[in-house]
Amino acid sequence: MVNSVSVYRGRLAPSPTGLLHLGHARTFWTALVRARASGGQLSLRNDDLDTARCRPEFVTAMRDDMQWLGLTWEEPMISQSTRIALYRAALTRLHAAGLIYPCSRSRRDVLAAISAPHETDESDEPLYPAEFRPALGTPPPPLSNPITINWRFRVPDGATLSFIDGHFGEQRATAGSDFGDFLVWRKDDMPSYQLACIVDDAAMGITEVVRGADLMRSTFRQLLLYRALGLTPPAFHHCPLVTDDQGQRLAKRHDALALRTLREQGKTPAELGY
Ligand code: GLU
């Protein structure tokens, strides 16, 4: 009999906010190779919660570019925008456990209050200043419906978190200094990436998350959410970031290195190394 616990299950989780580039190709290819090597399965998750930036044409483009590259996955694709009730149920549990609080500070307020805002990676959350927190033990107000204020998870200051990364080896971070209280729900009534990601990875039975090293710090935040919700975290394998010839990390705005552009220039997946 097959032991279901040992079945490898991975996922490809692009956000349809732009065209996929060489960095996505490397990460997704690694995910495919790892799933195949374990005789496992690979799902496709459409991380489409950023309503201001996600566009349906990028969903079509990402599927098409991934197929062109030779990636395969199990259908149907899972779209996060159809799963809000699941995330809301997790939020309710965090609220009942007194682990979250409402926050009316803007990113600009946070950046103005921290001593070294220039060190903040613009794609990551800045360290939330402790003086902005409500006093410990303050009961949170009820969750409204719809939600019109940001909600944050209070991290256990000074707690050290660690995990063994499949590529980079042992990773450690201290809550409250390497990362601070982070968003779990946004005032536009959408879950944060952190919350939606762990709810889905747990619900989809993902055994290993393969993603870019830009999300390493998020992994520590997510480990706290797994613990808070009594869920077992998957293994993690972060892929080194691909940089351009000036050493800049690839972003979706680097259209020159978009898979679509390379393909239109006549490049083949084999020429890209796949
Ligand atoms: N959707 C995220 C991105 O495109 C990746 C999320 C993840 O793999 O956890 O950056």
Side-chain angles (χ1 to χ4, degrees):
M1 206 176 92
V2 178
N3 174 2
S4 62
V5 175
S6 67
V7 170
Y8 181 103
R9 183 170 275 281
R11 82 315 193 258
L12 308 169
S15 301
T17 54
L19 293 171
L20 299 184
H21 54 61
L22 286 173
H24 296 102
R26 178 182 299 176
T27 299
F28 294 162
W29 198 264
T30 305
L32 181 79
V33 167
R34 293 185 66 79
R36 282 202 184 144
S38 318
Q41 291 160 332
L42 197 58
S43 305
L44 174 59
R45 192 176 76 210
N46 172 23
D47 281 4
D48 60 347
L49 292 178
D50 184 347
T51 40
R53 293 168 63 227
C54 291
R55 300 222 306 258
E57 55 271 33
F58 288 134
V59 179
T60 314
M62 77 195 186
R63 289 180 60 95
D64 195 49
D65 290 346
M66 288 161 71
Q67 260 155 4
W68 170 76
L69 201 65
L71 294 165
T72 52
W73 57 85
E74 287 191 354
E75 298 286 359
M77 174 177 83
I78 292 167
S79 289
Q80 288 196 314
S81 57
T82 64
R83 296 160 69 83
I84 307 290
L86 215 62
Y87 313 136
R88 175 74 194 224
L91 182 78
T92 303
R93 289 179 56 203
L94 295 174
H95 181 265
L99 295 170
I100 57 173
Y101 62 87
C103 152
S104 53
R105 308 284 185 164
S106 65
R107 185 177 166 95
R108 191 183 300 181
D109 296 336
V110 173
L111 286 173
I114 58 182
S115 54
H118 55 279
E119 282 171 18
T120 302
D121 173 347
E122 67 169 83
S123 66
D124 199 11
E125 290 189 46
L127 190 69
Y128 193 74
E131 66 266 24
F132 285 179
R133 290 169 146 174
L136 196 60
T138 312
L143 288 172
S144 59
N145 199 5
I147 286 176
T148 53
I149 192 163
N150 289 326
W151 283 81
R152 282 182 190 272
F153 183 88
R154 180 189 286 267
V155 303
D157 281 349
T160 301
L161 295 147
S162 67
F163 67 95
I164 309 290
D165 185 80
H167 178 84
F168 291 99
E170 187 177 9
Q171 301 295 309
R172 285 178 172 272
T174 304
S177 50
D178 291 321
F179 62 95
D181 295 353
F182 57 88
L183 283 180
V184 285
W185 207 271
R186 307 191 317 235
K187 62 179 189 227
D188 61 355
D189 201 22
M190 292 297 262
S192 72
Y193 155 68
Q194 313 295 352
L195 183 65
C197 181
I198 73 111
V199 167
D200 278 338
D201 284 337
M204 292 161 70
I206 300 301
T207 60
E208 182 179 73
V209 165
V210 176
R211 61 185 171 203
D214 53 325
L215 291 168
M216 190 74 91
R217 209 193 302 259
S218 285
T219 297
F220 294 106
R221 300 182 178 111
Q222 293 177 15
L223 286 173
L224 287 175
L225 289 178
Y226 279 108
R227 194 188 290 174
L229 291 167
L231 299 167
T232 307
F236 294 96
H237 182 108
H238 290 85
C239 299
L241 295 180
V242 177
T243 52
D244 65 12
D245 46 16
Q246 269 109 52
Q248 294 288 315
R249 192 171 109 188
L250 297 194
K252 287 186 183 141
R253 56 183 170 271
H254 272 75
D255 274 355
L257 298 175
L259 298 180
R260 177 70 41 131
T261 313
L262 298 166
R263 176 181 170 185
E264 281 164 5
Q265 289 166 353
K267 293 262 189 310
T268 62
E271 283 174 284
L272 304 180
Y274 301 103

